[in-house]
């Protein structure tokens, strides 16, 4: 039986459609490092009970236990998805030695570099899950004091790595090549540029200034990187969930090993909350149910993430990969399609910039989109009045989306300034806000390593729970392979002498020929 035909789904769907959407009930969940306010999501006792029944039908408890115990949570690749082991103070026995060993190697490397005053700068070369997490965290926690400058280059267009290297001292820069597979085109191409940069600058032993972070140690050795400069990760952690592994090395180099430990501690605390909190008070699970109601029942195609703190600017692309690479699929365990809409398109921007960019659409487009607002209570700067402006705008936008503005309210406004009644009525039509637009508010007491770790783990477990609800695998990404294969074929054809593949569509054929001819 498909999900959409199951009794639990039918009950959940009916409850979501009839639930209260005017925010009349205060619904705040306390979790480690943060508070989650779901008051502006569709809510009712029946919806809460139907959500619990749906999770039960989807064997959520067993799936969650398997996630923490190293079961085949990634069931198309028959692997664990054991990112929780990476941050546990006591990792499961099966992987404890490997996890604690690499964690200590990372700490020791950073301590030695700190003691020797080595590497004033770090050039981090990774992409996707080997880039967004470190990029997000080093930017978000910069206010805690940077010990080194970390530059990131991910795109293969070479402008990215050139920009990242500009004005760096090659003699005082550590190059990190971060790639779980060590076969991804971009980091390897950028590594070639960076190693040439070191050589051309006369660095005595360039390869000694290069570190690799990978699950493919052999490939790193083949690149000439010495074993003591290779930090290992494993294929039982997905790339977009690997921030907690040695992929976090640039975080520790930039902010200190203790800060990286606090990041892990925050995520581990959220793990315990997710594992043991009763369902009604389980932040990731309740956030997941609200998201499934919005996407699969209430018809919202996307999800907006609006961190009202410019330090969290990169949480948007980090969440885009986490959510869309995990949930942008339809095939279930037996290969049949899920039958209801699954992973939303995720987009967003820091607030208040987002208000001056796309909030018009959120308020008055026919559909709109749910919004995750993220707010830090303490400013971590001296301008308390500016922080009040930020908080006021965040709360006001949520309230406006929820409450809306009726035609009668709009007419009262326009009649006060327009003497012509017909024109006042016309203008009022343009000022109506539908309202009833869902949002969540995540409030951190302040932005620090612990609260940030908890926040990122909240999203990871929300995504996992939505995968369970939809019956899809949040830990594989078959959809990214096809384009890579076609790219390899086109690269060959761009060599003007290469034989032309007949299979290209007319446009692709035209541009390959045009560019190949340009030579
Ligand atoms: O985008 C596809 C993907 O495989 C991601 O899942 C991954 O995070 C990224 O490419 C980089 O992969 P790797 O760390 O193996 O270079």
């Amino acid at each position: 039986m498909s999900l959409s035909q199951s009794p639990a789904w039918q009950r959940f769907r009916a409850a979501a459609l009839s639930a209260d959407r005017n925010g009349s009930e205060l619904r705040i969940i306390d979790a480690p490092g943060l508070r989650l306010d779901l008051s502006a999501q569709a809510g009712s006792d029946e919806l809460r009970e139907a959500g619990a029944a749906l999770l039960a039908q989807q064997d959520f408890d067993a799936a969650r236990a398997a996630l923490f115990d190293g079961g085949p949570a990634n069931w198309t690749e028959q692997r664990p998805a054991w990112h929780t082991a990476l941050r546990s103070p006591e990792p499961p026995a099966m992987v404890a030695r490997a996890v604690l060993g690499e964690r200590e190697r990372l700490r020791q490397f950073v301590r030695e570099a700190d003691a020797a005053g080595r590497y004033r700068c770090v050039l981090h070369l990774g992409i996707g899950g080997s880039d967004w997490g470190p990029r997000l965290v080093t930017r978000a926690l910069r206010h805690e004091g940077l010990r080194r400058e970390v530059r990131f280059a991910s795109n293969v267009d070479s402008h990215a790595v050139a920009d990242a290297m500009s004005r760096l001292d090659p003699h005082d820069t550590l190059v990190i090549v971060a790639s779980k597979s060590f076969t991804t085109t971009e980091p390897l191409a950028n590594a070639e540029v960076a190693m040439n940069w070191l050589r051309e600058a006369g660095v005595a032993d360039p390869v000694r200034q290069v570190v690799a972070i990978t699950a493919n140690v052999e490939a790193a050795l083949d690149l000439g990187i010495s074993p003591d400069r290779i930090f290992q990760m494993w294929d039982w952690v997905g790339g977009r969930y690997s921030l907690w592994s040695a992929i976090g090395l640039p975080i520790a180099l930039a902010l200190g090993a203790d800060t990286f430990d606090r990041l892990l501690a925050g995520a581990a605390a959220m793990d315990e909350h997710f594992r043991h909190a009763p369902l009604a008070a389980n932040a990731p699970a309740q956030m997941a149910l609200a998201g499934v109601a919005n996407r699969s029942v209430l018809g919202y195609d996307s999800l907006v993430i609006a961190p009202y703190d410019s330090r969290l600017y990169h949480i948007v692309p980090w969440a885009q990969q986490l959510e869309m690479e995990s949930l942008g699929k339809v095939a279930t365990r037996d290969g049949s399609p899920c039958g209801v809409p699954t992973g939303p398109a995720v987009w967003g921007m820091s607030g208040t910039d987002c208000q001056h960019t796309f909030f018009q659409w959120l308020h008055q487009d026919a559909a709109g989109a749910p919004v995750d607002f993220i707010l830090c209570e303490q400013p971590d700067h001296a301008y308390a009045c500016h922080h009040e402006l930020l908080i006021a705008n965040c709360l006001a936008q949520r309230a406006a989306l929820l409450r809306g503005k009726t035609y009668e309210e709009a007419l009262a406004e326009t009649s006060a300034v327009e003497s012509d009644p017909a024109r006042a009525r016309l203008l009022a039509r343009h000022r109506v806000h539908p309202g009833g637009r869902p949002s969540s508010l995540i409030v951190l007491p302040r932005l620090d390593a612990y609260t940030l770790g908890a926040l990122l783990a909240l999203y990871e477990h929300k995504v996992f729970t939505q995968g369970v609800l939809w019956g899809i695998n949040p830990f594989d990404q078959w959809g990214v392979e096809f384009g890579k294969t076609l790219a390899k074929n086109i690269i060959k054809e761009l060599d003007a002498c290469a034989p032309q593949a007949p299979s290209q569509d007319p446009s692709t054929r035209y541009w390959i020929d045009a560019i190949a001819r340009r030579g």
Side-chain angles (χ1 to χ4, degrees), residues 289-430:
L289 285 164
V292 167
N294 286 331
R295 175 69 178 116
S296 307
V297 179
L298 302 176
Y300 292 105
D301 293 335
S302 68
L303 168 67
V304 172
I305 296 180
Y308 268 64
D309 190 313
S310 52
R311 295 170 293 176
L312 287 172
Y313 178 86
H314 287 101
I315 201 167
V316 175
W318 173 83
Q320 283 177 314
Q321 185 196 10
L322 174 69
E323 298 238 2
M324 297 169 81
E325 207 164 77
S326 296
L327 300 173
K329 52 197 80 163
V330 299
T332 60
R333 272 185 192 274
D334 64 7
S336 64
C338 167
V340 300
T342 51
V346 175
W347 52 292
M349 186 184 290
S350 312
T352 58
D353 291 325
C354 52
Q355 295 173 204
H356 304 269
T357 308
F358 51 74
F359 266 57
Q360 162 61 42
W361 184 89
L362 286 174
H363 286 294
Q364 288 192 319
D365 175 72
V371 183
D372 285 357
F373 291 91
I374 302 171
L375 198 53
C376 303
E377 289 181 73
Q378 294 178 34
D380 292 319
H381 59 64
Y383 301 95
C385 54
H386 292 180
H387 195 57
E388 286 171 2
L389 292 175
L390 191 75
I391 291 174
N393 273 278
C394 177
L395 297 181
Q397 293 298 327
R398 286 183 71 232
L401 287 168
L402 179 64
R403 184 193 315 169
K405 183 185 289 182
T406 64
Y407 172 73
E408 289 70 22
E409 288 167 329
L411 185 58
E413 279 178 19
T414 55
S415 302
V417 294
E418 177 54 60
S419 57
D420 174 351
R423 183 155 175 75
R425 285 194 297 275
L426 169 65
L427 292 177
R429 290 289 170 206
H430 292 267

Side-chain angles (χ1 to χ4, degrees), residues 143-399:
H143 62 286
E144 295 198 344
L146 279 181
R147 301 172 179 211
R148 293 178 179 83
E149 181 175 357
V150 182
R151 303 273 187 90
F152 293 89
S154 51
N155 210 318
V156 76
D157 68 14
S158 292
H159 295 294
V161 69
D163 287 349
M165 295 189 307
S166 65
R167 292 194 292 281
L168 285 188
D169 175 0
H171 296 276
D172 204 5
T173 297
L174 177 73
V175 175
I176 297 179
V177 185
S179 174
K180 178 182 169 186
S181 61
F182 232 77
T183 60
T184 307
T185 303
E186 297 89 339
L188 296 181
N190 286 329
E192 183 185 349
V193 173
M195 292 173 85
N196 288 339
W197 175 64
L198 295 176
R199 288 190 198 98
E200 288 156 14
V203 171
D205 185 0
V207 80
R208 287 299 294 174
Q209 275 179 228
V210 181
V211 161
I213 307 169
T214 185
N216 186 348
V217 174
E218 285 311 309
L221 292 168
D222 291 347
L223 195 63
I225 299 171
S226 52
D228 68 323
R229 288 283 200 263
I230 299 173
F231 289 89
Q232 193 163 356
M233 54 195 291
W234 301 277
D235 66 6
W236 37 262
V237 174
R240 55 192 173 274
Y241 296 87
S242 64
L243 157 69
W244 323 99
S245 70
I247 288 286
L249 176 61
I251 299 167
L253 286 165
L255 296 158
D258 292 348
T259 297
F260 186 61
D261 286 346
R262 285 196 301 277
L263 185 81
L264 298 183
M270 184 57 74
D271 290 345
E272 288 309 293
H273 168 83
F274 177 56
R275 203 171 186 177
H276 302 299
L279 187 58
N282 194 301
Q286 292 302 324
M287 197 171 167
L289 285 164
V292 167
N294 286 331
R295 175 69 178 116
S296 307
V297 179
L298 302 176
Y300 292 105
D301 293 335
S302 68
L303 168 67
V304 172
I305 296 180
Y308 268 64
D309 190 313
S310 52
R311 295 170 293 176
L312 287 172
Y313 178 86
H314 287 101
I315 201 167
V316 175
W318 173 83
Q320 283 177 314
Q321 185 196 10
L322 174 69
E323 298 238 2
M324 297 169 81
E325 207 164 77
S326 296
L327 300 173
K329 52 197 80 163
V330 299
T332 60
R333 272 185 192 274
D334 64 7
S336 64
C338 167
V340 300
T342 51
V346 175
W347 52 292
M349 186 184 290
S350 312
T352 58
D353 291 325
C354 52
Q355 295 173 204
H356 304 269
T357 308
F358 51 74
F359 266 57
Q360 162 61 42
W361 184 89
L362 286 174
H363 286 294
Q364 288 192 319
D365 175 72
V371 183
D372 285 357
F373 291 91
I374 302 171
L375 198 53
C376 303
E377 289 181 73
Q378 294 178 34
D380 292 319
H381 59 64
Y383 301 95
C385 54
H386 292 180
H387 195 57
E388 286 171 2
L389 292 175
L390 191 75
I391 291 174
N393 273 278
C394 177
L395 297 181
Q397 293 298 327
R398 286 183 71 232

Side-chain angles (χ1 to χ4, degrees), residues 89-173:
E90 295 176 11
M94 192 188 304
V95 293
R97 183 183 175 87
V99 169
L100 296 176
E102 285 306 290
R103 200 184 289 174
E104 185 49 32
R105 281 190 70 220
L106 179 150
R107 283 199 194 99
Q108 188 60 21
F109 181 85
V110 173
R111 275 197 291 264
E112 287 172 2
D114 288 351
R118 268 204 302 269
Y119 315 125
R120 194 165 47 81
C121 298
V122 176
L123 178 62
H124 183 90
L125 306 175
I127 197 163
S130 297
D131 170 77
W132 288 127
R135 197 188 285 247
L136 159 61
V137 174
T138 48
R139 173 65 190 84
L141 300 180
R142 193 159 60 181
H143 62 286
E144 295 198 344
L146 279 181
R147 301 172 179 211
R148 293 178 179 83
E149 181 175 357
V150 182
R151 303 273 187 90
F152 293 89
S154 51
N155 210 318
V156 76
D157 68 14
S158 292
H159 295 294
V161 69
D163 287 349
M165 295 189 307
S166 65
R167 292 194 292 281
L168 285 188
D169 175 0
H171 296 276
D172 204 5
T173 297

Side-chain angles (χ1 to χ4, degrees), residues 52-100:
L54 182 59
L55 282 167
Q57 172 187 281
Q58 299 299 97
D59 293 329
F60 168 66
D61 288 346
R64 177 176 51 180
L67 178 75
F68 282 93
D69 297 344
N74 176 356
W75 27 268
T76 57
E77 296 178 289
Q78 284 302 311
R79 290 175 187 164
W82 229 342
H83 41 288
T84 54
L86 295 177
R87 61 228 188 182
S88 170
E90 295 176 11
M94 192 188 304
V95 293
R97 183 183 175 87
V99 169
L100 296 176

